[in-house]
């Protein structure tokens, strides 16, 4: 029995749900409200000390970190292989996913919070916001969140984050010059890993990051045409977030464009 602790709009949860869909695996879900602090309760922190989603439980074994979960699922369950058979292509796939874990995911959180999600926190009573921040187990993450809530796109963290992603999208455009997928001829965990982030830029109306790169735009269209994208992402898109992301993204785009 597979159980998944997840959130509808979490990019990391989206990656894992997509792999589960590609594999045709059934799972029981536990949806957590990130804004309410569901990942910071004592019971959940026993499962995942990092206080984030997703967390997978497979027959009593707890597995955390979306990149690790996805490779675990590809190891443990039959179905279409989601890692290239060729060793060099598999190494390239891992280099793409490693980039996300080494900074791009944090940059995504920075961009998303600075543009849109800070507005879900600003209206909270100060004592409630202070309680949520205090419950975050990582002091550095706590300070980043506080800065982004207070300063938005004028946070000192924002310019480096948006520029890092602009460079990465350019690297993706270059990589797709001689191949259909990021790691070569076959759709892989690398393509699954990046699809939630391209989706996030679409939801935040940062489409200028993608539209100027035709190979990347074509790749994203092919990703979105897969059933696994609908099952893992689109079916979970939440009206609690989308209108806010669209409104605040449109407001921010001229200034973001100027930064680039």
């Amino acid at each position: 029995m597979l159980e998944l602790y997840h959130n509808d709009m979490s990019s990391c949860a989206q990656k894992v749900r997509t792999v589960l869909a590609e594999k045709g695996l059934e799972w029981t879900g536990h949806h957590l409200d990130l804004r309410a602090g569901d990942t910071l309760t004592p019971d959940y922190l026993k499962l995942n000390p990092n206080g984030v989603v997703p967390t997978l439980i497979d027959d009593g074994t707890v597995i955390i970190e979306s990149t690790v979960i996805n490779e675990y699922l590809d190891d443990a369950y039959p179905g279409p292989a989601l890692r290239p058979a060729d060793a060099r292509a598999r190494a390239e796939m891992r280099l793409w996913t490693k980039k996300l874990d080494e900074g791009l995911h944090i940059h995504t959180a920075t961009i998303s919070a600075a543009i849109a999600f800070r507005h879900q926190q600003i209206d909270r009573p100060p004592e409630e916001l202070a309680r949520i921040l205090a419950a975050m187990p990582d002091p550095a993450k706590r300070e980043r969140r506080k800065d982004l809530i207070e300063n938005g796109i004028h946070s000192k963290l924002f310019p480096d984050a948006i520029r890092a992603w602009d460079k990465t999208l350019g690297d993706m455009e270059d990589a797709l010059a001689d191949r259909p997928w990021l790691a070569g001829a076959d759709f892989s965990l690398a393509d699954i890993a990046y699809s939630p982030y391209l989706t996030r830029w679409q939801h935040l109306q940062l489409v200028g990051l993608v539209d100027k790169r035709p190979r990347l735009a074509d790749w994203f269209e092919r990703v979105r045409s897969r059933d696994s994208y609908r099952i893992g992402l689109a079916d979970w898109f939440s009206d609690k977030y989308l209108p806010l992301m669209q409104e605040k993204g449109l407001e921010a785009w001229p200034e973001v464009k100027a930064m680039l």
Side-chain angles (χ1 to χ4, degrees), residues 11 23 84 91 93 122 126 129 153 185 190 216 225 232 239:
S11 55
K23 293 281 187 181
M93 180 213 81
I122 288 172
L129 179 57
I153 64 173
L216 181 60
S225 72
D239 288 339

Side-chain angles (χ1 to χ4, degrees), residues 175-214:
L176 292 164
D178 62 353
R179 64 189 68 177
W181 303 107
L182 288 175
D186 299 315
F187 180 79
S188 76
L189 293 179
D191 304 289
I192 291 173
Y194 279 80
S195 59
Y197 299 94
L198 274 289
T199 301
R200 179 62 55 88
W201 310 145
Q202 183 183 59
H203 288 164
L204 286 170
Q205 303 300 304
L206 304 181
V207 292
L209 295 173
V210 178
D211 289 351
K212 64 182 178 180
R213 297 170 168 124

Side-chain angles (χ1 to χ4, degrees), residues 9-144:
M9 296 290 285
S10 157
S11 55
C12 291
Q14 288 169 337
K15 288 191 287 183
V16 173
R17 290 197 303 259
T18 301
V19 169
L20 290 165
E22 284 282 342
K23 293 281 187 181
L25 296 172
E26 295 185 0
W27 51 281
T28 298
H30 307 279
H31 185 267
L32 303 182
D33 185 337
L34 305 186
R35 299 297 170 263
D38 287 356
T39 61
L40 303 175
T41 64
D43 285 345
Y44 185 72
L45 288 171
K46 289 177 184 177
L47 290 176
N48 190 326
N50 296 330
V52 297
V53 291
T55 297
L56 182 76
I57 302 180
D58 186 3
D59 195 23
T61 299
V62 178
I63 305 156
I64 63 173
E65 297 299 320
S66 59
T67 299
V68 176
I69 292 171
N70 283 351
E71 292 218 26
Y72 169 83
L73 289 170
D74 204 40
D75 281 331
Y77 289 92
L82 296 174
R83 288 174 294 181
D86 176 75
R88 293 178 183 176
R90 186 171 292 200
E92 190 162 2
M93 180 213 81
R94 288 198 170 109
L95 284 173
W96 281 111
T97 58
K98 190 170 184 282
K99 288 175 190 258
L100 291 170
D101 292 342
E102 287 188 338
L104 287 174
H105 178 70
I106 292 175
H107 287 325
T108 303
T110 293
I111 295 166
S112 303
I115 291 176
F117 296 152
R118 65 186 291 259
H119 296 280
Q120 294 178 317
Q121 305 287 13
I122 288 172
D123 294 335
R124 290 184 184 275
E127 62 277 7
E128 181 181 347
L129 179 57
R131 176 183 58 78
I132 291 173
L133 289 172
M136 296 177 70
D138 183 343
K141 189 174 180 180
R142 187 187 313 136
E143 287 305 308
R144 287 197 303 270

